[in-house]
Amino acid sequence: MASDTSKQQGRPGPEMGHRPPLLSVRELGVALQTRGGNLQLTQNISFEVGAGERVGIVGESGCGKTVTGLALLRLLPARSMQVSGKILLDGTDLLRLPGRQMRAIRGRQVAMIFQEPMSALDPVFTIGQQIGEAIRAHFPVGAREARERAVDVLDRVGIPLPQRRHDEYPHQLSGGMRQRAMIAIALACQPRLLIADEPTTALDVTIQAQIIELLVKLSSEAGTALLFITHDLGVVAETCERVLTMYAGQVVEDAPVEDVLVRPRHPYTSALMRSLPNLSVPKSVLPSIPGRVPNALAMPAGCRFAPRCAHARPACGRAQDALPVGADHRVRCARFDELELPGTAA
Amino acid sequence: MNRRWRMLGERLSQVIPVIVLATIIVFGLLQLVPGDPAMTLAGEQATDERIAEIRHLYGFDKPFLVQYGTWLGHAAQGDLSRSLLSGERVVTLIGQSFPHTLTIVVLALLISLLVGVPLGILAAMRAHTRADTAISALSSVGVAIPNFWLAMILVTYFALGLGWLPATGATPLGESVVGSLRHAILPALALAAGGIAELTRQLRSALLEVLSSQYMRTLRAKGLSETAMICKHGLKNVGVNLLTVIGLLFNRLLGATVVVEAVFAIPGMGSLIVRAAINKDFPVVQGVVLSMVLVVVATNLLIDMLYSVLDPRVK
Ligand SMILES: Nc1ncnc2c1ncn2[C@@H]1O[C@H](COP(=O)(O)OP(=O)(O)O)[C@@H](O)[C@H]1O
Ligand code: SF4
Ligand SMILES: [Mg+2]
């Protein structure tokens, strides 16, 4: 995986906490409208991302990471999904913006990259056209200027021969180059926040490390905040400053990476760590957590992790609130104070 | 460009067997038609000797393969023999009829595109709304209406009733463009109803599929408007589907003109082959079928070539 780049680069100083956050998500929830009524896919999601900060979201497949990421940019199908809560970007609630103003935010203030670079790129337009149109959607520049900027950003994301690649189609690039091209599209307008939804899951292991390193480098160089969505806690540990653990549609722990690695407060976070035999192993299939994620149709009334939790007690049958552990650490577990959970050091 | 020429050569070599097969089938089928063309040619009171003489004269007494070989050899040199009825060269007859048919078909295709494409885009952009439902109801009607019935309605209303346009006949394009279009517009409209409906439906469903693709989400994520997404990326991505539909439509319209030409008394290819078939005028039937096959094959070739222009992935 990426070396410990994050440890040296772009660490926000202690003054960070006093500035208002770039992004503040409050009680975000996504409901799927079905014939049988609304199905709550995610709920009570609250977190903040500071300017230039790198925050990871981890959790097993199906816990609502992608839905949350898409909701932030209002990319969910409005016909079938209802988003509640607040998404404050510099204090402005994105959920209340008219369509035109929301478009001005997308790509310019907040950009997003996706898991599968091949299907995320339009197959019949060149890479350069797809970067150029992002630039021209937000800046009043001509075709020539757009081309110069596109070539420049291709160069910045480490694509060799950017002049030539500019005029090639997605199918002419390798998987890793395609993901770099995706990153180029996303960063073409110098957004302040980049949401990366499992950007390396579809790639080879060696390429994964390169892409992660690139994301960390670009984010720290340009001061772009990064919301890194992954099912791999190991990757988060190496790239991010803070980590949100999601379980069954909720954030169950929100803490600085350093703290949580040493002493996770939620049994699920701890279990995720123990399922990583070694942080440099990329694919975590969570072998050590017995049981399965509950179905959205049959959520446990109390703690959602209770059916799989080794520490469950009768008290866990009540709904769990996010409780403060410290100034910047919250956990959705009633027993966090009594438990001594092992981190990666164990 | 080099690649395209090589591709054209490859496609041509695949197409020639198709043409040969089509000619064999046409030639063979005519052998199965009851009745003897020699008898027809000789007239009611002809003696047996006269019939035999005619049979020999036209080569009807030769074995099938020999007849076929002779015909194919001549056809390859552009000689499609002469009409048994009028004695005119078949090539000349086709040369007179084909422009009328082509005018109607091309006009019908243009109308289908001009109306069908915007309707398809509108239906996709307003999917699952009332506008979409209305468009889809209309296109169901368009598909279901028989050409000849619509043709008769149009003639009754616009030609006979209002007198805006001529009811029957045709003017060659070379003689008068306006006159030719005035004659062609009603038959083209009668043909286009189905074409509009077909294009609207196909375009709507192709666009909706593209709209639900992952790259559309990327486009939205970078701040593009709905219009740019559909009219630029959507249309280019469905271009290949659209081409296929246009090719099929063109071929279908060519076939459908037979009926419409009959209603409007247009001396096109449809009228020519109907008259020839009724009178057992074999050389004309063969000539018309051969030229239709060639037109269809050429259309498909053209469409194939255009695929590679629209889609960079086509090799
Ligand atoms: N388009 C959709 N329609 C219906 N359900 C969906 C859709 N997208 C996601 N879901 C459901 O929402 C939940 C969260 O999914 P997702 O956000 O994709 O999880 P993750 O990204 O963490 O793997 C899952 O239960 C999934 O089945
Ligand atoms: S609340 Fe109880 S069941 Fe839930 S994680 Fe904490 S200890 Fe386990
Ligand atoms: Mg996901």
Side-chain angles (χ1 to χ4, degrees):
Chain A
M1 278 294 113
S3 60
D4 54 348
T5 13
S6 61
K7 302 294 187 297
Q8 300 115 35
Q9 292 175 359
R11 274 276 175 184
E15 76 283 358
M16 195 69 231
H18 303 295
R19 268 191 274 155
L22 171 65
L23 177 76
S24 174
V25 178
R26 309 240 175 104
E27 296 294 311
L28 182 68
V30 176
L32 178 70
Q33 289 164 328
T34 67
R35 259 171 255 125
N38 277 7
L39 189 64
Q40 202 68 37
L41 298 179
T42 65
Q43 69 188 116
N44 308 118
I45 294 187
S46 300
F47 63 91
E48 292 181 348
V49 180
E53 192 182 15
R54 287 193 293 273
V55 177
I57 302 185
V58 286
E60 281 164 291
S61 172
C63 69
K65 305 182 297 291
T66 297
V67 162
T68 302
L70 291 173
L72 295 181
L73 264 182
R74 280 173 51 187
L75 294 174
L76 291 170
R79 245 165 39 83
S80 58
M81 300 226 190
Q82 224 167 41
V83 181
S84 56
K86 283 185 179 156
I87 301 166
L88 304 173
L89 186 74
D90 290 326
T92 307
D93 188 357
L94 299 187
L95 290 179
R96 288 164 172 271
L97 282 187
R100 177 179 292 273
Q101 287 177 37
M102 190 61 218
R103 279 211 303 278
I105 302 265
R106 291 188 189 123
R108 179 69 186 91
Q109 306 291 338
V110 184
M112 186 159 182
I113 60 175
F114 304 95
Q115 182 168 334
E116 187 50 72
M118 187 62 208
S119 49
L121 290 165
D122 187 333
V124 302
F125 285 82
T126 64
I127 300 297
Q129 285 168 333
Q130 297 186 56
I131 300 173
E133 83 186 331
I135 295 169
R136 298 185 71 178
H138 297 289
F139 299 99
V141 299
R144 179 200 291 260
E145 165 92 21
R147 187 192 168 93
E148 274 169 24
R149 290 199 196 182
V151 170
D152 183 60
V153 69
L154 281 172
D155 191 37
R156 270 199 289 139
V157 299
I159 291 187
L161 304 172
Q163 287 281 1
R164 205 174 101 198
R165 297 296 182 202
H166 180 281
D167 299 322
E168 288 187 347
Y169 290 91
H171 74 275
Q172 293 171 287
L173 304 187
S174 67
M177 284 300 147
R178 270 180 219 140
Q179 194 56 291
R180 282 178 197 261
M182 270 301 301
I183 295 172
I185 292 174
L187 295 183
C189 299
Q190 285 133 4
R192 291 190 299 155
L193 172 65
L194 174 64
I195 305 170
D197 186 3
E198 311 233 19
T200 63
T201 310
L203 305 175
D204 290 345
V205 180
T206 44
I207 313 285
Q208 287 188 7
Q210 293 170 11
I211 295 292
I212 289 168
E213 207 165 340
L214 176 73
L215 281 173
V216 171
K217 175 174 154 262
L218 292 173
S219 112
S220 53
E221 275 173 9
T224 312
L226 187 63
L227 190 61
F228 197 103
I229 298 176
T230 173
H231 60 270
D232 189 341
L233 189 58
V235 172
V236 170
E238 289 172 40
T239 54
C240 296
E241 297 142 45
R242 259 150 35 80
V243 58
L244 309 173
T245 312
M246 278 189 75
Y247 186 78
Q250 290 180 323
V251 174
V252 295
E253 184 157 14
D254 174 355
V257 167
E258 285 158 351
D259 297 359
V260 89
L261 285 180
V262 179
R263 189 171 177 200
R265 295 299 194 137
H266 198 282
Y268 179 63
T269 316
S270 173
L272 276 182
M273 285 175 183
R274 274 174 294 136
S275 73
L276 292 175
N278 163 348
L279 280 188
S280 62
V281 172
K283 268 261 157 53
S284 71
V285 283
L286 312 181
S288 71
I289 311 178
R292 293 190 49 190
V293 184
N295 190 306
L297 286 167
M299 271 306 163
C303 173
R304 296 184 171 184
F305 189 54
R308 299 168 78 184
C309 183
H311 310 280
R313 292 288 180 279
C316 308
R318 278 176 291 127
Q320 303 294 310
D321 294 325
L323 306 170
V325 177
D328 51 2
H329 192 157
R330 288 173 311 135
V331 64
R332 210 178 275 278
C333 170
R335 302 194 61 211
F336 79 87
D337 232 4
E338 346 162 8
L339 300 174
E340 276 293 341
L341 299 169
T344 48
Chain B
M1 207 56 224
N2 216 345
R3 184 170 65 92
R4 296 233 165 96
W5 285 120
R6 203 164 339 113
M7 193 174 115
L8 183 63
E10 243 168 62
R11 292 284 147 86
L12 273 178
S13 63
Q14 291 163 359
V15 141
I16 285 167
V18 174
I19 296 174
V20 171
L21 192 68
T23 57
I24 292 178
I25 291 173
V26 172
F27 217 87
L29 280 180
L30 285 186
Q31 306 294 313
L32 302 177
V33 173
D36 184 342
M39 254 150 109
T40 319
L41 281 171
E44 304 253 315
Q45 273 101 35
T47 59
D48 283 355
E49 282 120 61
R50 176 65 187 147
I51 292 172
E53 198 182 299
I54 285 176
R55 192 173 287 142
H56 183 70
L57 192 66
Y58 282 91
F60 295 147
D61 55 347
K62 303 248 174 59
F64 170 73
L65 274 181
V66 175
Q67 286 187 47
Y68 172 72
T70 315
W71 176 80
L72 191 65
H74 286 143
Q77 295 163 40
D79 174 13
L80 290 175
S81 177
R82 286 171 186 275
S83 161
L84 298 183
L85 276 186
S86 64
E88 272 204 81
R89 288 165 55 85
V90 173
V91 175
T92 312
L93 290 174
I94 291 175
Q96 287 162 355
S97 312
F98 191 61
H100 293 309
T101 300
L102 195 64
T103 308
I104 298 172
V105 168
V106 169
L107 195 58
L109 196 62
L110 284 180
I111 295 172
S112 304
L113 282 169
L114 280 174
V115 182
V117 170
L119 277 184
I121 294 175
L122 189 69
M125 285 183 85
R126 301 257 183 286
H128 313 292
T129 64
R130 265 189 222 149
D132 178 31
T133 314
I135 291 172
S136 109
L138 268 179
S139 51
S140 301
V141 174
V143 168
I145 288 184
N147 288 324
F148 72 89
W149 186 76
L150 183 58
M152 289 193 295
I153 301 269
L154 289 173
V155 169
T156 313
Y157 193 71
F158 290 103
L160 304 179
L162 293 170
W164 288 355
L165 294 161
T168 57
T171 309
L173 202 58
E175 213 168 276
S176 151
V177 175
V178 175
S180 172
L181 284 181
R182 276 172 58 83
H183 272 112
I185 192 103
L186 288 183
L189 277 176
L191 280 178
I196 292 171
E198 180 75 15
L199 267 170
T200 305
R201 283 177 158 195
Q202 300 272 2
L203 187 57
R204 175 188 182 273
S205 73
L207 274 176
L208 282 185
E209 197 185 320
V210 166
L211 277 177
S212 68
S213 67
Q214 311 257 321
Y215 55 80
M216 280 290 159
R217 197 174 59 185
T218 309
L219 297 177
R220 188 170 283 125
K222 64 188 183 190
L224 293 202
S225 67
E226 209 75 13
T227 314
M229 285 167 58
I230 292 192
C231 294
K232 186 174 170 192
H233 292 266
L235 279 187
K236 186 155 186 205
N237 272 283
V238 302
V240 169
N241 309 36
L242 201 57
L243 260 186
T244 311
V245 176
I246 291 172
L248 289 174
L249 190 59
F250 181 79
N251 295 343
R252 183 129 49 80
L253 291 176
L254 269 184
T257 48
V258 174
V259 175
V260 171
E261 282 179 19
V263 174
F264 288 92
I266 294 163
M269 295 291 265
S271 309
L272 185 63
I273 197 170
V274 168
R275 197 166 1 100
I278 290 171
N279 293 307
K280 301 204 177 64
D281 194 348
F282 286 5
V284 174
V285 174
Q286 285 159 352
V288 171
V289 173
L290 177 66
S291 48
M292 288 303 213
V293 168
L294 287 178
V295 169
V296 169
V297 164
T299 312
N300 293 349
L301 263 180
L302 182 70
I303 300 265
D304 269 3
M305 302 304 292
L306 287 178
Y307 280 153
S308 67
V309 176
L310 276 185
D311 191 335
R313 289 163 299 181
V314 175
K315 291 264 157 53

